[in-house]
Amino acid sequence: MNSTFAVDRPIRTPSVSTFQNPNPFKTRLFSNTRLPWRLRLRDPSNHKSSTSSSLGTSSTINEVPRKIGGLRSTRVRVSSDASQSYAGGLVREDEGGLPEPSFVEFITSERVKVVAMVALALALCNADRVVMSVAIVPLSLSHGWRQSFAGVVQSSFLWGYLISPIAGGTLVDYYGGKVVMAWGVALWSLATFLTPWAAETSLWALLATRVVLGIAEGVALPCMNNMIARWFPQTERSRAVGLAMAGFQLGSAIGLTLSPILMSQGGVFGPFVIFGLSGFLWVLVWLSATSSTPEQSSQISKYELKYIQNKRQKSFVAENKMKTGKMIPPFKRLLSKLPTWSLIVANAMHSWGFFVILSWMPIYFKTIYHVDLRQAAWFSAAPWSMMAIVGYFAGVSSDMLIKNGMSVTLTRKIMQSIGFICPGIALIGLTMAKSPLIASAWLTLAVGLKSFSHCGFLVNLQEIAPQYSGVLHGMSNTAGTFAAILGTVGAGYFVELVGSFRGFLLLTSLLYFSAALFWNIFSTGERVNFDESG
């Protein structure tokens, strides 16, 4: 039964401190103050009133403001299950249920611990894949590979990456990010660890381990999206993605910087062994210290759990329950909507630029500016460190724009425009650089500003269809992998045929501008109805 407290006139009442409230997180507003109201319990069904000092059974409390005689007052509706949160005392909440957490509360929360573990997994993910970008130089020299064939070897990772994102995204939507991420990290760490053995066995064995690496790593980003959607409200998701992707970019920097050092100490395959063992250690910590959802966590505080439940999109849980019985997503309906295609185009361009820069920049600096392998790795690692830093601040800026009233759609378009147009301009500057330091500065600018796109298409996956965020990420990732293969292999053949790295960078710049235009025309930050085609 629902009842209503109505406000009549101010009188003095006993202090709230005389009440016993077992939930201290909801009594911040009236601590050590006197209540300026007399409350009458009104039954809305018959409008009869009676004075009441207790509410009986547990209920939840909502406040509805109204005006009486020109003065603003409050009507408090109490549903039938509120004693646990009320327990004889008057509790007042803001519209979201609980006050916004401070920076310290946010950064020390359980949900940040979860996203930190995800960031560490993504760091390992990228470190494992970029080792070959450094190892390919001595391997090409020892095996006599041409640049076009070196591109094929590097792209073998993407052959596997092409297979898994859709299936992996579907598994993530069905089983949750924790389980799928654990299996993914274990499998790609095994493939990384076995790479030295495969390289010594045969070229086909080497290509096979790289394919397995790609298959396993294809689930990483869908798992990230799933965990963030479950653990973070919409007003914090850009920040969460920024933190997770900071780990992803730092993985590139770590892999590119440490690989030459580890190779000088332990041979060409030293980094593969170290990074592979690190992945196994991560799996043990992940399984023992994290949970798939806040409700399943034994370490989360009551305040944080209540805050997440009140602030996150209520439909997420309901939609998740509705679809758990269905393993086959509605691909036709998903592909019938233009916002889906805006995600696909954005992911394709993002992956094209990402893998071209990741795979070819060490060789670019070695070929164009004649720096040695360690310097080439350092020059191409610095931009990824900048991307990690800028990505977090881009996430904070995106969340603030939404909190201050800007529409989600406009926010995503601004972020994505910065993330594509600015790198396109910076790559043009890179082609004109006369020294490796200036080239590195332009490359750092291009990669750093590219991180703004994480607050565009990467967060948008959760907004247009949270119930299909995993499979949508898988579909767009598959398109991105096609683009990455084309860019990685095409760069090698382009250089052989045309004889110019700079021409390929100019082509990449033009594609950035085109993808930004497509995004701004067809994307949206609102929920899309995928129950209807067309």
Side-chain angles (χ1 to χ4, degrees), residues 190-495:
L190 179 63
T192 302
F193 184 79
L194 292 178
T195 298
W197 167 83
E200 294 297 326
T201 303
S202 69
L203 176 61
W204 289 109
L206 175 61
L207 295 177
T209 57
R210 297 295 292 175
V211 170
V212 172
L213 176 72
I215 291 174
E217 290 196 355
V219 306
L221 293 181
C223 285
M224 177 204 73
N225 253 312
N226 180 273
M227 294 296 287
I228 288 176
R230 290 172 180 266
W231 276 88
F232 288 84
Q234 187 180 52
T235 53
E236 292 181 354
R237 287 181 186 170
S238 293
R239 251 179 298 175
V241 170
L243 287 170
M245 295 306 293
F248 194 65
Q249 314 314 333
L250 286 175
S252 300
I254 291 168
L256 291 169
T257 303
L258 291 184
S259 292
I261 299 173
L262 293 174
M263 286 178 187
S264 65
Q265 300 297 320
V268 174
F269 299 111
F272 295 95
V273 174
I274 298 299
F275 292 143
L277 292 176
S278 299
F280 296 136
L281 178 62
W282 180 92
V283 172
L284 295 177
V285 177
W286 173 257
L287 291 176
S288 61
T290 62
S291 303
S292 293
T293 64
E295 289 78 9
Q296 295 174 346
S297 175
S298 60
Q299 303 178 46
I300 192 172
S301 68
K302 292 180 179 179
Y303 167 76
E304 184 181 1
L305 178 60
K306 195 69 175 177
Y307 174 79
I308 294 172
Q309 290 174 333
N310 285 351
K311 298 289 285 184
R312 72 184 174 186
Q313 291 176 325
K314 295 179 180 179
S315 61
F316 178 77
V317 176
E319 286 169 346
N320 253 0
K321 291 179 179 179
M322 290 176 60
K323 66 184 174 57
T324 50
K326 297 175 64 176
M327 281 293 290
I328 302 177
F331 291 110
K332 184 177 179 180
R333 293 200 300 273
L334 291 172
L335 291 171
S336 69
K337 306 290 186 179
L338 284 172
T340 300
W341 285 100
S342 71
L343 288 171
I344 290 173
V345 171
N347 201 327
M349 189 59 238
H350 180 79
S351 297
W352 173 291
F354 181 88
F355 283 100
V356 164
I357 293 174
L358 192 66
S359 300
W360 286 103
M361 283 304 100
I363 299 176
Y364 179 82
F365 277 96
K366 185 176 186 300
T367 304
I368 302 298
Y369 300 107
H370 308 291
V371 297
D372 63 29
L373 180 59
R374 280 195 192 182
Q375 288 178 316
W378 186 88
F379 277 121
S380 53
W384 304 109
S385 302
M386 180 61 69
M387 192 176 192
I389 297 170
V390 174
Y392 176 73
F393 286 103
V396 172
S397 301
S398 177
D399 287 340
M400 287 181 62
L401 288 175
I402 295 174
K403 284 183 179 180
N404 291 335
M406 182 175 288
S407 71
V408 176
T409 298
L410 181 57
T411 301
R412 301 303 171 222
K413 290 185 177 183
I414 290 174
M415 295 293 118
Q416 192 65 48
S417 296
I418 296 173
F420 275 3
I421 295 174
C422 293
I425 296 173
L427 287 181
I428 295 174
L430 173 61
T431 62
M432 301 177 181
K434 302 300 182 182
S435 71
L437 277 176
I438 296 176
S440 181
W442 278 113
L443 183 62
T444 300
L445 184 64
V447 174
L449 293 174
K450 182 180 172 66
S451 64
F452 275 81
S453 65
H454 299 157
C455 304
F457 83 93
L458 202 54
V459 182
N460 192 238
L461 291 160
Q462 305 160 12
E463 293 165 341
I464 68 170
Q467 73 274 33
Y468 298 120
S469 63
V471 69
L472 270 177
H473 202 148
M475 292 167 61
S476 62
N477 243 24
T478 298
T481 306
F482 270 118
I485 292 173
L486 184 61
T488 304
V489 177
Y493 281 100
F494 187 94
V495 172

Side-chain angles (χ1 to χ4, degrees), residues 4 6 8 39-44 46-52:
T4 304
D8 282 349
L39 305 177
R40 285 189 296 116
L41 185 62
R42 175 181 297 165
D43 187 338
N46 56 21
H47 302 289
K48 293 181 180 180
S49 304
S50 62
T51 303
S52 176

